[in-house]
Amino acid sequence: MTTEVKQSPRERLLEAAATLTYRDGVGIGVEALCKAAGVSKRSMYQLFESKDELLAASLKERSAAFVARALPPTDDDRSPRERILYVFERVESQAGAPDFQGCRYLAVQIELKDQAHPASQVAHQIKADLTGFFRSEAERGGASDPDLLARQLILVFDGASARAGIGADNLTGLIAPTLTTLLDAAGMH
């Protein structure tokens, strides 16, 4: 006999926020969030100062899973070039999922447009960390200009995620040649 651990109201709200905002956008109402979580509005406001704080907490909560899904393990034996390619292979495989709607962190920044919004700040930090990963690998791989390459890679990452997320393009066979060109031009090993 297995005992299922019941999620707390906080966990249910974070889950509802993650699911609904990814599917429907950040404009989702408090009523819908509370209904999906099975939590009263009063309880939500006892747990979070505002919907904005709930969205930020939900994004932060998902960041570890995003990193685990997107980045190679820190202790693997891949070369810096292979580690960068790994990230894009993951994007390509995730983009094939029927419920893929692009990078949730990019979507939040685009939808909110307000860089001071708590959720936008969380999303910005996660994207900055990904850019930092690209820069670090570019530097380790001997890129001629690691900063430029990192910026180019995040541009490709965001563009690929967005185009696949809106169904405008199929990433299969598109990312590898694009990356190979960038990495070769940068002198990456």
Side-chain angles (χ1 to χ4, degrees), residues 33-64:
L33 287 168
C34 290
K35 184 178 179 185
V39 173
S40 71
K41 279 203 264 186
R42 181 173 179 224
S43 293
M44 187 200 98
Y45 286 116
Q46 287 173 339
L47 293 165
F48 299 96
E49 285 181 31
S50 64
K51 176 186 149 191
D52 294 351
E53 291 300 324
L54 169 58
L55 294 178
S58 176
L59 288 173
K60 198 174 283 188
E61 175 104 354
R62 294 281 176 173
S63 67

Side-chain angles (χ1 to χ4, degrees), residues 2 14 22 26 28 30 33 54 59 68 72 76-77 88 105 108 110 114-115 121 133 137 156 160 170 174 176:
T2 60
L14 291 170
Y22 186 66
V26 296
I28 192 80
V30 170
L33 287 168
L54 169 58
L59 288 173
D76 75 355
D77 59 353
F88 287 92
Y105 303 103
V108 162
I110 291 170
D114 175 6
Q115 293 185 11
Q121 290 178 343
F133 167 82
E137 295 302 325
V156 172
N170 177 339
L174 181 62

Side-chain angles (χ1 to χ4, degrees), residues 105-186:
Y105 303 103
L106 177 63
V108 162
Q109 290 179 295
I110 291 170
E111 278 189 74
L112 290 174
K113 295 178 183 30
D114 175 6
Q115 293 185 11
H117 189 287
S120 189
Q121 290 178 343
V122 170
H124 177 79
Q125 185 57 57
I126 290 163
K127 298 304 282 192
D129 291 348
L130 180 57
T131 304
F133 167 82
F134 289 145
R135 191 203 180 290
S136 172
E137 295 302 325
E139 194 169 82
R140 284 187 340 109
S144 55
D145 187 341
D147 288 322
L148 176 62
L149 181 58
R151 290 175 56 217
Q152 290 170 321
L153 292 170
I154 199 71
L155 182 70
V156 172
F157 182 93
D158 285 348
S161 295
R163 299 223 8 111
I166 63 170
D169 216 333
N170 177 339
L171 302 183
T172 306
L174 181 62
I175 292 181
T178 302
L179 285 180
T180 299
T181 300
L182 273 176
L183 297 174
D184 287 352

